[in-house]
Amino acid sequence: PSGGFDCTIIANRLQRTFPQARILIVVREQVGNIFSMYSQYITDGGDMSLKDYLARPQPFLKRVPVFSEEFYRYHRLLSLYRQKFGADRVLCLPFEQLVKQPDEFVGQIYDFAGQPRKPQTFRRQNAKRSATFQVLQRLVNQRLSGNELIQRRRSAPNRVHRQFGAVSRYLGPRMTGWLDRALEDRMQRFIAAEFQGDFAESNAILSQMIGRDLGDFGYQMPDDFTPSAIAADADQAADVPQKRCAAC
């Protein structure tokens, strides 16, 4: 749960190394993204419950990387890269378009790179783990994992939780589909309640910046937001004052 503490560091390094680079930023609806990040945290050896994972430590001294909701206010990251590379060299697309409109998603990347569009064949890669298996993985991590994600000292070698993780290929959705759906629904409802409306303003700004209504893909949006609010010139939104945050 790094909270994106190094996003400015990464942007600065990219600018120094590849000053003429074209940057592709892919964002994802926040509730689904946070759920996915938590699952990856478990895969990597973390042992916290979802509630503890999302909780801000008290006192919050901002001296170590932890989960931060600021990381999911994507307009700040897009503003950062536009400032460093120029708005015409940064393309931001929603992940949900890749799922629903893969040809158009890839076509926009071809256009952005100045290349002719080519027909594509798509296949699923890196399928997510079963939510049921991740419950078991967390229990194993609590006892046998030993890496930087575990705050307490561990004597077990880090490879143990990875070896157990290999079992996930045999415990897939066909065996646990109904339980997976129940677990995922419960966790996503918890996340949605925890951040109810918190990302709406950021998503509205981002919609203006990229000229696309993210509400069409299920993102939180202000109640008074309408497609007509999207700037005709998407670059206009790049000048919206940005509050400094730990994530960017």
Side-chain angles (χ1 to χ4, degrees):
S2 69
F5 77 98
D6 54 355
C7 64
T8 301
I9 296 172
I10 293 172
N12 288 336
R13 289 175 177 173
L14 284 173
Q15 184 186 38
R16 288 197 302 268
T17 308
F18 307 106
Q20 300 302 314
R22 291 184 180 273
I23 304 297
L24 171 64
I25 298 175
V26 179
V27 298
R28 182 176 180 179
E29 185 276 323
Q30 284 90 347
V31 172
N33 199 4
I34 292 171
F35 173 76
S36 179
M37 289 287 195
Y38 174 68
S39 181
Q40 186 61 50
Y41 160 77
I42 297 299
T43 297
D44 291 340
D47 70 343
M48 287 190 289
S49 68
L50 177 60
K51 181 178 179 180
D52 289 340
Y53 174 82
L54 298 178
R56 176 170 290 182
Q58 297 297 332
F60 185 46
L61 304 177
K62 299 183 180 181
R63 293 179 180 175
V64 296
V66 294
F67 172 86
S68 172
E69 65 187 74
E70 298 297 340
F71 176 63
Y72 299 91
R73 292 187 169 93
Y74 305 129
H75 74 284
R76 294 174 178 167
L77 184 67
L78 179 56
S79 292
L80 173 67
Y81 275 89
R82 282 185 169 187
Q83 291 165 9
K84 292 187 175 299
F85 293 92
D88 61 328
R89 304 190 72 85
V90 182
L91 175 64
C92 180
L93 298 174
F95 168 79
E96 293 75 14
Q97 187 183 33
L98 173 61
V99 176
K100 297 179 179 180
Q101 305 164 351
D103 288 304
E104 179 59 24
F105 181 93
V106 174
Q108 290 178 84
I109 298 175
Y110 273 118
D111 296 343
F112 179 60
Q115 299 295 318
R117 296 192 179 194
K118 300 177 182 179
Q120 301 291 320
T121 300
F122 299 95
R123 61 179 179 177
R124 190 173 185 180
Q125 296 281 1
N126 193 28
K128 67 180 180 181
R129 283 186 178 184
S130 155
T132 305
F133 182 83
Q134 292 300 73
V135 173
L136 301 176
Q137 179 74 71
R138 186 166 79 89
L139 295 176
V140 170
N141 294 348
Q142 289 174 343
R143 293 161 176 78
L144 298 175
S145 179
N147 63 25
E148 61 187 303
L149 297 179
I150 304 295
Q151 298 299 317
R152 299 179 296 278
R153 182 179 297 276
R154 300 292 192 190
S155 58
N158 187 39
R159 65 177 179 271
V160 175
H161 84 272
R162 294 188 178 276
Q163 290 171 341
F164 178 79
V167 180
S168 65
R169 72 188 67 175
Y170 305 109
L171 190 64
R174 290 185 179 180
M175 296 179 59
T176 60
W178 65 273
L179 184 55
D180 290 341
R181 289 189 292 272
L183 288 170
E184 290 181 14
D185 180 67
R186 179 181 177 183
M187 287 190 281
Q188 293 204 29
R189 282 191 285 109
F190 178 84
I191 296 169
E194 194 76 8
F195 302 106
Q196 187 172 11
D198 288 355
F199 304 114
E201 181 180 357
S202 172
N203 291 339
I205 296 173
L206 183 61
S207 290
Q208 291 179 309
M209 295 177 73
I210 66 177
R212 182 191 303 272
D213 184 1
L214 292 173
D216 292 341
F217 294 103
Y219 288 62
Q220 294 177 4
M221 300 297 287
D223 292 337
D224 59 351
F225 184 86
T226 61
S228 61
I230 296 177
D233 180 358
D235 293 344
Q236 293 176 8
D239 297 327
V240 175
Q242 305 299 327
K243 182 179 71 174
R244 183 72 179 174
C245 68
C248 298

